[in-house]
Amino acid sequence: MTEYEPTAQACAAAGRAAALAEIARRRAHFASAWDCRTLQIIAELLDIAALSFYEDAPTETDGIPDDARSALADAEETAAETPGTGFPRWFGQYVTHPLTARPLETEPAFGIAGCAFSDEDDRLTSALGTLHGLLASAATEEISLALLEAVFALHDKRADLAQLARG
């Protein structure tokens, strides 16, 4: 019986999951009680995903282990239920990108179109598109992790705008 040895892509995905878990934990320090608990749950799920990428062999051709896939889906669902966390509903794509190489997408802003904040959201969306391009072509994983910090700062700003637009 041979032990599973993670690929470079799986290690990159694990590193990204761990980096996003750290972002969630940092945000929890400044969040409301409700958002704080949600951010802690997201961080715990991302920890599970990171560990799975290191320890579990993938069962499908996309290279994502089942436990990681499940933890990411649960984390995304949790984020979608609590938009105040600043984590976009589709944030798992940032973790799995080293494995799938699928184009990174920016989700539409809900409740911002046509309001006073739509120009600012357009600027943030444009900046996200630029960062997505840089992330997809980053020369090293260290650069990717730094770019993820910037990407999630923009997602947090978009969540704040959406909150302001809703009143």
Side-chain angles (χ1 to χ4, degrees):
M1 179 171 167
T2 59
E3 241 180 82
Y4 170 71
E5 193 66 36
T7 64
Q9 293 85 359
C11 289
R16 289 180 181 202
L20 294 183
E22 181 57 30
I23 290 171
R25 286 188 179 92
R26 281 196 318 262
R27 285 187 184 176
H29 293 293
F30 305 102
S32 68
W34 178 259
D35 290 343
C36 176
R37 182 64 193 132
T38 300
L39 286 162
Q40 291 169 344
I41 292 168
I42 290 171
E44 291 168 6
L45 290 165
L46 286 165
D47 288 341
I48 292 168
L51 188 61
S52 179
F53 282 116
Y54 278 127
E55 294 184 348
D56 301 334
T59 55
E60 296 184 29
T61 58
D62 62 4
I64 302 170
D66 286 341
D67 285 349
R69 184 182 320 279
S70 177
L72 287 173
D74 289 348
E76 286 180 327
E77 182 178 331
T78 301
E81 292 170 355
T82 315
T85 63
F87 272 66
R89 293 176 302 141
W90 305 331
F91 76 86
Q93 69 179 337
Y94 297 107
V95 174
T96 60
H97 186 260
L99 294 162
T100 65
R102 290 187 190 116
L104 297 169
E105 298 178 23
T106 302
E107 66 183 76
F110 297 105
I112 294 181
C115 79
F117 302 112
S118 63
D119 287 343
E120 180 63 19
D121 187 62
D122 289 345
R123 285 190 285 278
L124 292 172
T125 300
S126 176
L128 270 172
T130 300
L131 288 174
H132 284 171
L134 292 171
L135 188 58
S137 64
T140 66
E141 199 52 32
E142 289 79 21
I143 293 170
S144 295
L145 295 178
L147 289 167
L148 278 177
E149 289 282 344
V151 164
F152 274 76
L154 291 178
H155 280 301
D156 195 35
K157 289 179 188 263
R158 288 188 79 214
D160 288 346
L161 278 179
Q163 184 80 14
L164 284 171
R166 286 190 291 271

